[in-house]
Amino acid sequence: MQNSRNINLTLKIWRQENHAAAGSLQEYSLEGISTDMSFLEMLDVLNEKLTLEGLDPVAFDHDCREGICGMCGAVVNGQPHGPEKETTLCQLHMRHFKDGDQLVIEPFRARAFRVEKDLVVDRSSLDTIIQAGGYVSVNTGGAPDANAIPIAQKTAEQAMDAAACIGCGACVASCPNASAMLFVSAKVSQLALLPQGHPERQERALNMVKAMDQAGFGNCSNERECEAACPKGISIRNIARLNREFIKAALFA
Ligand code: FES
């Protein structure tokens, strides 16, 4: 493990008062940042400094800071969640940067993600897609025994891998088409692979794709940027599965 160091940074951060205002990159200098800090802790230090100077702190989203909730996210030097593979912004540590580095920090940009303030974007369009079918309808009652419905191990693992999606929107931000196909495909796959998801699979695929299109997301053109940017390593094989689910549903619904 590397020893802790202190580094100096130049930050260029997108500042935008609200969705109607024009934004621009503003430059800030930070000195003595410990490489033990997380990226968000580094932004906390900047915000304390700005507050003490009587300036408006930088707005950014976060919640768990453990890579679980999907709330954090910004584009760092052109890469959603920064330079580390399969790492959320909150789990990115400053030891991956060098003394004197310049970091350009921007919000996730997409037609369906309105910039609300600085680095905060409205990602409720992803919630709208889930509401269109990303669930199973179940009757209330006691939980069935875990082994009551046998599922092949490989299938269970594929479903679990798809269920790892935290809905952060990095796939959208990285895609030149601002497509949400990786997100939708993960949510469709985690249910389509398991017997509990089968009764509603046709309407789920049709309704979620329709909601995705209505929200203004683009189409997939196999750039694979989404897969590279995903902090949970979601595979684009899920997009192939979504396409199969959608075509079968469109033909037989
Ligand atoms: S704050 Fe929850 S995943 Fe980053």
Side-chain angles (χ1 to χ4, degrees):
M1 185 161 172
Q2 279 185 344
N3 290 333
S4 173
R5 294 169 287 128
N6 282 350
I7 58 175
N8 300 331
L9 299 167
T10 302
L11 307 178
K12 288 192 170 180
I13 303 182
W14 185 261
R15 303 302 310 262
Q16 184 171 337
E17 189 53 39
N18 56 55
H19 68 87
S24 64
L25 287 170
Q26 302 288 324
E27 189 169 308
Y28 306 95
S29 296
L30 268 188
E31 291 171 4
I33 293 296
S34 166
T35 51
D36 286 341
M37 283 183 190
S38 72
F39 197 89
L40 298 190
E41 286 169 339
M42 180 273 291
L43 290 179
D44 290 339
V45 171
L46 171 68
N47 278 347
E48 279 175 27
K49 184 169 177 262
L50 292 176
T51 304
L52 287 172
E53 292 169 2
L55 299 171
D56 193 22
V58 177
F60 63 92
D61 263 332
H62 60 100
D63 191 354
C64 71
R65 297 198 177 204
E66 293 181 346
I68 300 168
C69 72
M71 275 302 287
C72 65
V75 175
V76 181
N77 288 350
Q79 291 179 283
H81 290 298
E84 283 302 294
K85 198 168 165 49
E86 296 187 18
T87 305
T88 56
L89 195 67
C90 61
Q91 292 287 289
L92 178 66
H93 279 78
M94 298 313 295
R95 58 179 166 268
H96 299 296
F97 300 97
K98 298 193 304 293
D99 185 39
D101 272 357
Q102 175 177 277
L103 307 181
V104 179
I105 308 170
E106 299 171 89
F108 283 178
R109 296 188 192 279
R111 184 150 65 104
F113 291 169
R114 192 172 78 175
V115 176
E116 296 296 342
K117 184 172 168 58
D118 302 335
L119 305 176
V120 175
V121 297
D122 179 358
R123 287 171 286 181
S124 59
S125 47
L126 298 180
D127 299 332
T128 306
I129 295 172
I130 294 294
Q131 287 161 4
Y135 51 80
V136 290
S137 303
V138 292
N139 295 323
T140 54
D145 286 343
N147 60 356
I149 308 172
I151 297 166
Q153 184 186 1
K154 188 176 170 199
T155 306
E157 284 176 358
Q158 287 175 334
M160 285 297 290
D161 287 347
C165 170
I166 55 174
C168 63
C171 49
V172 178
S174 63
C175 176
N177 310 321
S179 171
M181 284 284 275
L182 193 68
F183 166 77
V184 177
S185 71
K187 300 303 178 188
V188 164
S189 289
Q190 75 183 50
L191 298 172
L193 282 161
L194 300 176
Q196 294 91 333
H198 287 185
E200 294 162 298
R201 67 193 299 178
Q202 290 188 341
E203 59 191 89
R204 177 180 305 115
L206 293 174
N207 291 342
M208 290 181 77
V209 169
K210 185 176 172 192
M212 174 179 72
D213 291 342
Q214 285 175 342
F217 293 104
N219 291 316
C220 173
S221 51
N222 290 316
E223 310 294 332
R224 300 190 73 164
E225 296 290 341
C226 55
E227 189 180 56
C230 177
K232 296 297 163 184
I234 304 291
S235 166
I236 60 161
R237 287 172 188 272
N238 290 297
I239 296 181
R241 184 178 297 105
L242 170 62
N243 286 335
R244 290 196 297 275
E245 288 287 315
F246 180 79
I247 290 167
K248 274 193 271 183
L251 286 175
F252 301 118

